[in-house]
């Protein structure tokens, strides 16, 4: 069965460290997204990609970057982690014009 | 400025009764609206959607109603079951931003046995 997987599921890091969250999908979808979930804010879009070599900023992109070298993967990098980036991060993929996204199980990041 | 708003952070309903979750939006260029359900420690899963050219869509116990003049949509769950206890997110897709969704802040539904 096709799926979307995230790793690590849990990570604790220190302020200033670089962190990369991995996202891998086997749906063969061109469109991939990174969201963060915070209490009171719901899901906010960080970055997204509509295909290989394409990346775009979402509404909360400061301090984050992504790269898309193949269809399956969209890693999210925090260049210098800050406590404000403590959150649960969700990767998603889609090929539906109606907007239906398939989400991974999430990566909980704590920045101390 | 939140384009999609869920003003009720929580809702508690008795098993067997109707659950009504509400969502308001500000952008008249949204062409699809979706509801997602999320259990703890899991990713959100798609529940039901509606096109902006319709006013109702039904799937089993779940019905979504769209009132374009009021910029309001609602999700009805009838009858509610304890397994429906989860966080529900409303989301919208704009006509000019293919595939990208904007989410509300979520409503936590508790269905009491």
């Amino acid at each position: 069965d096709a799926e979307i997987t995230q790793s690590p599921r849990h990570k604790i890091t220190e302020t200033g460290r670089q962190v990369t969250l991995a996202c891998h999908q086997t749906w063969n979808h061109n469109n991939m997204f990174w969201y963060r979930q915070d209490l009171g804010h719901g899901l906010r879009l960080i970055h997204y990609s509509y295909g290989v070599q394409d990346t775009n900023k979402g509404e909360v992109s400061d301090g984050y970057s992504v790269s898309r070298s193949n269809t399956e993967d969209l890693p999210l990098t925090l260049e210098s982690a800050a406590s404000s980036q403590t959150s649960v991060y969700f990767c998603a993929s889609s090929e539906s014009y109606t907007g239906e996204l398939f989400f991974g199980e999430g990566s909980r990041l704590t920045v101390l | 400025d939140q384009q999609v708003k869920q003003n009720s952070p929580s809702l508690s309903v008795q098993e067997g009764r109707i659950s009504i979750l509400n969502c308001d939006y500000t952008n008249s260029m949204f062409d699809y609206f979706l509801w997602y359900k999320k259990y703890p420690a899991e990713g959100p899963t798609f529940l039901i959607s509606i096109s902006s050219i319709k006013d109702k869509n039904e799937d089993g116990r779940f019905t979504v109603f769209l009132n374009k003049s009021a910029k309001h949509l609602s999700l009805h769950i009838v009858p509610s079951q304890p397994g429906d206890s989860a966080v529900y997110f409303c989301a919208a897709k704009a006509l000019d931003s293919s595939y990208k969704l904007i989410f509300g802040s979520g409503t936590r539904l508790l269905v009491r046995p």
Side-chain angles (χ1 to χ4, degrees):
Chain A
D1 283 347
E3 60 181 2
I4 180 165
T5 55
Q6 294 183 230
S7 63
R9 295 292 313 277
H10 300 271
K11 184 169 183 67
I12 300 174
T13 190
E14 295 176 343
T15 302
R17 299 255 185 174
Q18 183 181 77
V19 175
T20 296
L21 304 179
C23 175
H24 180 80
Q25 54 100 358
T26 58
W27 293 97
N28 201 33
H29 288 161
N30 283 313
N31 313 306
M32 296 184 72
F33 308 84
W34 274 103
Y35 286 88
R36 59 178 285 176
Q37 183 194 2
D38 304 289
L39 195 62
H41 292 281
L43 293 158
R44 292 181 292 175
L45 184 63
I46 305 171
H47 280 286
Y48 59 101
S49 168
Y50 288 155
V52 176
Q53 302 303 330
D54 176 73
T55 62
N56 305 279
K57 293 181 179 180
E59 63 177 305
V60 290
S61 60
D62 287 349
Y64 303 94
S65 64
V66 293
S67 60
R68 189 86 180 273
S69 59
N70 58 50
T71 301
E72 297 79 15
D73 299 290
L74 186 71
L76 177 71
T77 297
L78 290 67
E79 301 294 343
S80 177
S83 57
S84 60
Q85 295 176 309
T86 292
S87 187
V88 181
Y89 292 86
F90 289 99
C91 180
S93 70
S94 171
E95 206 67 59
S96 168
Y97 70 94
T98 62
E100 182 182 344
L101 301 181
F102 294 88
F103 282 89
E105 294 195 329
S107 295
R108 181 177 292 276
L109 176 67
T110 302
V111 183
L112 300 176
Chain B
D1 181 31
Q2 278 189 297
Q3 297 187 62
V4 178
K5 295 181 183 179
Q6 294 177 257
N7 292 317
S8 299
S10 63
L11 175 68
S12 181
V13 170
Q14 193 75 34
E15 180 179 6
R17 308 292 282 268
I18 184 170
S19 295
I20 300 176
L21 295 92
N22 294 304
C23 179
D24 296 299
Y25 63 94
T26 56
N27 188 345
S28 58
M29 294 302 291
F30 288 142
D31 61 346
Y32 279 93
F33 301 90
L34 304 90
W35 286 94
Y36 280 79
K37 177 179 183 180
K38 185 185 179 304
Y39 293 119
E42 295 184 10
T45 55
F46 170 74
L47 189 58
I48 191 169
S49 65
I50 187 167
S51 164
S52 61
I53 63 172
K54 299 194 173 182
D55 55 18
K56 177 182 174 181
N57 188 27
E58 193 171 351
D59 183 2
R61 297 186 297 114
F62 303 91
T63 303
V64 56
F65 296 92
L66 176 61
N67 182 333
K68 283 195 294 286
S69 60
K71 291 190 172 67
H72 177 84
L73 68 155
S74 60
L75 174 68
H76 292 210
I77 306 174
V78 184
S80 300
Q81 299 173 354
D84 295 329
S85 296
V87 176
Y88 290 79
F89 290 102
C90 171
K93 186 182 81 65
L95 181 63
D96 59 351
S97 61
S98 310
Y99 309 109
K100 195 171 55 171
L101 295 185
I102 298 172
F103 286 83
S105 55
T107 297
R108 182 178 300 277
L109 173 66
L110 174 65
V111 180
R112 308 184 308 273

